[in-house]
Amino acid sequence: MFDSVAVVGATGAVGTIIRELLQSRRFPLREIKFLASRRSAGKRIRFAGEEITVEELRAEVFEGVGLAISSTPDEVARDFIPQAVERGCVVVDESGYWRMDPKVPLVVPEINPEAIHDHQGIIASPNCSTTQMVLAIKPLHDAGRVRRVVVSTYQATSGAGVAGSRDLEKGTAAKLAGEEYSYECFPYPIAFNCIPQIGSHKHKGYTSEEMKMVYETHKIFDDDSIQICPTCVRVPVANCHSESILVETEKKITVEQARELFAAMPGLVVVDNIEEKLYPMPITGDGSDETLIGRIREDLSSPNGLAFWCVSDNLRKGAATNAVQIAELLQESRR
Ligand SMILES: NC(=O)c1ccc[n+]([C@@H]2O[C@H](COP(=O)([O-])OP(=O)(O)OC[C@H]3O[C@@H](n4cnc5c(N)ncnc54)[C@H](OP(=O)(O)O)[C@@H]3O)[C@@H](O)[C@H]2O)c1
């Protein structure tokens, strides 16, 4: 058991779910610390029947802390994590900063759990849009070797944190009331709109969010040969990312085989009956730790293509649940 565990970014959208999961999954610990920015220091948060006071994130707070689960902005993770590791703390990090560092394993427990053993103090959890896609393509890759993926995302505003959720709520209310609203985190109004840019321009017209889906998938599968063409779009949905995914495999996989492969994959649930109007939607994925797959069909334009729709709670499996699962693997490996 880790004597002392810290949740860094405990007041944020992801941190809130991490706190909830540590309680509901009964993560074994003796002491817990909640850390955030100076703005939140002194706030009191209930955890397992106790009131915990949020502390300001400072290096000294990690003395005696064995494990930290962190969800802060990238630049915060860049600065504090080496200081925490120096003090003997293992950090499971949700930010994008460390994911592509060759010394840092990037882990989805259903796919590459063994990678946690190679850590040197930091283990990264992937971007939310990557996690649900790799979970979905893993069984197809194992069965028929995935050659090419074309993916379009429909990403919820909670993916941009507490401020993103606030923007959707307040922007929608203002629009309906015919009032002005100054958006905090989106470059255009998200109410009644879609924004086909998440992150900054990164490579050949692709955004940083899109390139994360490419680089992170290659790292998780340890296979750079998978060709990926992503388009990431912010949509006015409160929570849960949806993805339209087209996969081309070396060996043909039929719809029936795909349904069986998806159903056998831990973490995936098939919801697929167009006749009965059954398919995953953000409102059905919200609050679930599982990734939902539906609309499974043959690609009409290529012989080995398979198209499907995938929905996952970005705050849970896309972030907090994956990080807590990694922490549970670490915990088991210490027994
Ligand atoms: N939202 C998602 O779906 C999702 C999915 C995967 C990964 N991630 C990643 O997870 C991280 C957190 O995302 P989020 O959505 O939870 O964001 P968020 O709601 O904005 O929360 C950010 C957290 O970081 C803390 N923080 C900010 N600046 C800080 C500083 N200078 N020092 C210490 N703490 C600081 C905040 O504390 P205060 O409350 O005190 O400001 C808050 O607890 C980001 O790197 C994001 O890319 C998010």
Side-chain angles (χ1 to χ4, degrees):
M1 175 190 309
F2 290 99
D3 277 350
S4 183
V5 173
V7 178
V8 189
T11 51
V14 176
T16 300
I17 309 287
I18 291 171
R19 290 191 272 111
E20 192 189 306
L21 290 168
L22 290 176
Q23 291 179 88
S24 62
R25 295 168 78 106
R26 298 182 188 280
F27 190 86
L29 50 86
R30 288 210 174 85
E31 182 203 32
I32 190 139
K33 293 185 182 203
F34 293 154
L35 310 175
S37 78
R38 188 176 300 165
R39 297 178 287 277
S40 302
K43 272 189 189 164
R44 295 175 72 77
I45 295 179
R46 281 198 81 72
F47 183 89
E50 276 182 56
E51 291 266 308
I52 310 286
T53 303
V54 177
E55 295 174 66
E56 182 184 349
L57 175 62
R58 285 174 297 112
E60 311 81 76
V61 181
F62 292 94
E63 295 295 350
V65 174
L67 170 74
I69 308 180
S70 177
S71 53
T72 67
D74 286 9
E75 61 284 3
V76 177
R78 173 196 64 204
D79 294 342
F80 95 80
I81 289 180
Q83 300 175 332
V85 172
E86 242 172 55
R87 287 166 171 79
C89 181
V90 178
V91 183
V92 179
D93 183 35
E94 268 303 332
S95 87
Y97 188 77
W98 296 98
R99 289 181 192 141
M100 294 312 297
D101 186 314
K103 295 187 295 299
V104 174
L106 180 62
V107 176
V108 176
E110 294 86 347
I111 298 178
N112 59 342
E114 67 294 338
I116 67 149
H117 301 299
D118 299 330
H119 82 80
Q120 295 176 31
I122 311 174
I123 301 175
S125 182
N127 187 44
C128 40
S129 48
T130 307
T131 303
Q132 67 186 86
M133 181 181 78
V134 293
L135 271 175
I137 68 175
K138 163 77 174 155
L140 307 179
H141 195 48
D142 288 348
R145 197 166 154 63
V146 171
R147 279 199 313 224
R148 178 166 177 253
V149 181
V150 181
V151 55
S152 298
T153 71
Y154 303 65
Q155 295 184 223
T157 52
S158 64
V162 169
S165 299
R166 198 161 45 224
D167 268 356
L168 178 64
E169 255 175 55
K170 295 201 164 169
T172 306
K175 178 83 178 159
L176 289 171
E179 292 165 2
E180 287 298 310
Y181 173 72
S182 173
Y183 281 87
E184 274 179 77
C185 68
F186 300 120
Y188 295 100
I190 191 62
F192 305 98
N193 193 22
C194 295
I195 305 174
Q197 174 177 4
I198 303 181
S200 52
H201 176 239
K202 177 84 177 172
H203 175 73
K204 292 185 173 177
Y206 288 80
T207 65
S208 50
E209 184 84 355
E210 288 159 356
M211 292 315 295
K212 282 177 193 175
M213 295 187 80
V214 177
Y215 301 144
E216 294 178 14
T217 300
H218 288 166
K219 181 164 176 176
I220 293 162
F221 284 114
D222 191 20
D223 184 349
D224 290 357
S225 72
I226 304 171
Q227 312 276 328
I228 305 168
C229 178
T231 304
C232 290
V233 182
R234 186 75 67 193
V235 297
V237 163
N239 192 37
C240 283
H241 293 348
S242 304
E243 296 182 355
S244 165
I245 304 178
L246 174 71
V247 164
E248 267 180 39
T249 46
E250 214 160 272
K251 199 172 123 205
K252 184 174 176 63
I253 296 176
T254 65
V255 169
E256 291 67 33
Q257 285 167 335
R259 204 171 271 133
E260 279 171 26
L261 291 166
F262 287 140
M265 172 76 191
L268 292 187
V269 171
V270 175
V271 183
D272 190 31
N273 187 337
I274 187 82
E275 303 295 334
E276 301 287 334
K277 298 188 178 62
L278 281 177
Y279 27 73
M281 293 178 287
I283 55 169
T284 49
D286 190 27
S288 172
D289 287 320
E290 282 159 327
T291 294
L292 312 178
I293 307 275
R295 298 296 320 281
I296 307 166
R297 59 213 191 274
E298 270 189 28
D299 175 6
L300 298 177
S301 66
S302 84
N304 286 7
L306 193 77
F308 54 93
W309 176 251
C310 170
V311 171
S312 189
D313 187 327
N314 49 289
L315 294 177
R316 297 184 79 94
K317 185 57 190 171
T321 306
N322 199 66
V324 171
Q325 286 176 315
I326 293 171
E328 287 169 346
L329 287 178
L330 280 170
Q331 164 72 30
E332 278 162 28
S333 72
R334 286 161 58 97
R335 281 201 191 127

